[in-house]
Amino acid sequence: QEWLPKEFVERISQLDTKSPVTKINVAVDRLPDFLAAPNAPGGQPRPHHQCSIHLNCEDTLLLHQAFQDAVDGLPSHRPMIELCIPSALDPTLAPPGCHVISLFTQYTPYTLAGGKVWDEQERSAYADKVFDCIEAYAPGFKSSVVGRDILTPPDLERIFGLPGGNIFHCAMTLDQLYFARPAPLHASYRCPLRGLYLCGSGAHPGGGVMGAAGRNAAHVVFRDLKSM
């Protein structure tokens, strides 16, 4: 930070980086068998296993209640779950017949109410709640689990250096989008330091696996090189 202008550091420090996401990585010994779309004979992945599956979001009331729980400092009682099975597309990620599952769940507060902390007991209790929800959609899921890795917002911050645990670097809110991402005077991908450019989730158009910020930043670099 000593190389950056004071005004820039202050502006970046004011960004909203709070994250409501807990990531759970799961190893299972068989594909989830959903009531709405039963598995094929032989356990081969069907098209829906190769997509992003969303649970506990049948209506906006469910999402609102899940969010309100986190506002109150509590992990959602019925969290929204985005479930992906990358091994359904790349079988080399797991032993034959087994799979790895990525769970993107929300909402979980960075700081828990009542002075609690995200210790192993709190992590396990929340993961159990998530697994109970999946079980309702895919009976037998819990008995298929052979391992799990639970990453709360503080864990994501500690392990990956993400302030607040936010995978988008800062919140995707209207005051932090477009020409204001990450700051109004630095939305052109240029940093105050000559030759240093922003090309990650904290730059326009924001988070998500799309590469748009990197592409845009590369075009700015090309233009700057031509003008040198």
Side-chain angles (χ1 to χ4, degrees):
Q1 292 187 8
E2 63 271 17
W3 293 94
L4 298 167
K6 179 181 177 182
E7 296 77 10
F8 179 77
V9 173
E10 289 180 350
R11 180 66 183 85
I12 297 300
S13 69
Q14 294 168 0
L15 292 175
D16 177 9
T17 60
K18 294 188 298 292
S19 172
V21 172
T22 286
K23 181 79 161 51
I24 306 176
N25 302 310
V26 191
V28 296
D29 61 13
R30 59 186 179 275
L31 277 173
D33 192 4
F34 293 96
L35 292 171
N39 285 358
Q44 294 302 310
R46 296 187 60 193
H48 67 274
H49 290 119
Q50 301 173 339
C51 301
S52 178
I53 300 169
H54 290 74
L55 309 175
N56 285 348
C57 52
E58 287 81 351
D59 58 61
T60 54
L61 181 61
L62 284 175
L63 295 173
H64 176 75
Q65 185 57 60
F67 174 74
Q68 189 59 51
D69 288 340
V71 170
D72 295 336
L74 305 171
S76 299
H77 290 91
R78 191 176 175 186
M80 191 283 287
I81 303 166
E82 181 180 354
L83 185 155
C84 295
I85 313 173
S87 52
L89 290 168
D90 181 0
T92 66
L93 295 174
C98 298
H99 288 275
V100 290
I101 297 178
S102 170
L103 301 177
F104 181 94
T105 75
Q106 56 189 38
Y107 300 83
T108 52
Y110 182 94
T111 303
L112 296 172
K116 293 183 178 180
V117 296
W118 279 111
D119 55 19
E120 194 58 39
Q121 181 177 349
E122 291 292 337
R123 289 190 192 92
S124 292
Y126 176 71
D128 289 343
K129 188 183 305 180
V130 170
F131 286 12
D132 286 341
C133 290
I134 299 175
E135 183 79 13
Y137 291 92
F141 172 79
K142 291 197 295 185
S143 64
S144 73
V145 174
V146 297
R148 66 187 189 182
D149 180 32
I150 308 157
L151 302 173
T152 64
D155 295 323
L156 293 170
E157 180 180 66
R158 173 177 52 83
I159 297 171
F160 300 105
L162 298 169
N166 197 315
I167 63 172
F168 299 143
H169 298 179
C170 55
M172 302 283 287
T173 51
L174 288 176
D175 61 326
Q176 296 183 160
L177 290 177
Y178 303 106
F179 58 85
R181 191 170 188 88
L185 296 179
H186 299 283
S188 64
Y189 306 97
R190 298 180 181 91
C191 275
L193 295 181
R194 181 177 174 84
L196 181 62
Y197 296 81
L198 297 173
C199 60
S201 293
H204 174 74
V209 183
M210 54 182 164
R215 177 187 182 278
N216 293 348
H219 279 280
V220 174
V221 172
F222 289 148
R223 288 199 299 271
D224 288 354
L225 289 174
K226 290 179 180 179
S227 64
M228 291 177 63

